[in-house]
Amino acid sequence: MATNFAHYRKGDIKNVKPGYKNEVYFSPTSAFTKIAEPLLAGTGAAKHTITEDHTFALASGFFVGYLLKKKNTASAEMKGEAGAAYLVFKATLVIPGDGPVLQSLVEELINEDLIILQKDANCPEGAVVQYGCSCGGSSVTSVKFDAGTLGGDSGKAWTIEIEATCRDFYEGTIPIKA
């Protein structure tokens, strides 16, 4: 199998502002009628760019979550043996507040395969990063709740860590669940 390495030049450098915006979009993979994918024969940027729209069952779509600013992170790490290595992508999402609706949502997410979208911090043309795909949704690997301390500097917040072996850039529309 021939490798098709692409040149990466100064003009290709984009989206260097750190972090993501304080919104997250998520949906269980079971809610989709079609999870759009990058082109099968894609190389270079096309290998990780989704240009088609995701489709959902009637009256379904992405749920929107509000995140704390300056608390959310994302990373990638190589796993596996030499010659059989792959990337694992991780994201930490910090959701402010507490209450029965938020706790119920967290409990419903923890055992689902998910597609998660985050908008890049670069404006106005920041990319939308997608974690998870049709052959492997992202999954919740850790949930922590911190109630803070009375009179302290930090408010109540849920920290959700997700992991995925698929990470792409979504250019389609983001349908929101009503």
Side-chain angles (χ1 to χ4, degrees), residues 36-51:
E37 299 286 341
L39 297 173
L40 265 179
T43 60
K47 183 177 177 182
H48 293 290
T49 303
I50 301 169
T51 57

Side-chain angles (χ1 to χ4, degrees), residues 29-157:
T29 57
S30 60
F32 291 84
T33 55
K34 178 186 173 197
I35 298 174
E37 299 286 341
L39 297 173
L40 265 179
T43 60
K47 183 177 177 182
H48 293 290
T49 303
I50 301 169
T51 57
E52 293 182 2
D53 292 343
H54 294 308
T55 56
F56 290 87
L58 193 60
S60 195
F62 284 98
F63 293 86
V64 182
Y66 176 77
L67 304 174
L68 284 176
K69 292 181 180 181
K70 300 182 181 182
K71 296 284 185 180
N72 306 286
T73 63
S75 63
E77 183 179 350
M78 187 180 84
K79 299 273 186 170
E81 301 295 325
Y86 58 96
L87 292 173
V88 173
F89 302 94
K90 297 178 181 184
T92 301
L93 310 171
V94 182
I95 304 171
D98 188 22
V101 171
L102 184 52
Q103 182 172 328
S104 178
L105 171 67
V106 170
E107 289 172 348
E108 291 174 18
L109 291 176
I110 60 177
N111 292 310
E112 289 284 343
D113 285 336
L114 304 166
I115 299 295
I116 295 177
L117 303 177
Q118 278 192 290
K119 289 185 178 179
D120 189 87
N122 288 272
C123 287
E125 299 175 13
V128 175
V129 177
Q130 175 177 307
Y131 296 94
C133 57
S134 62
C135 63
S138 59
S139 59
V140 175
T141 58
S142 173
V143 173
K144 296 175 185 163
F145 173 71
D146 184 3
T149 56
L150 186 61
D153 293 333
S154 296
K156 296 176 181 155

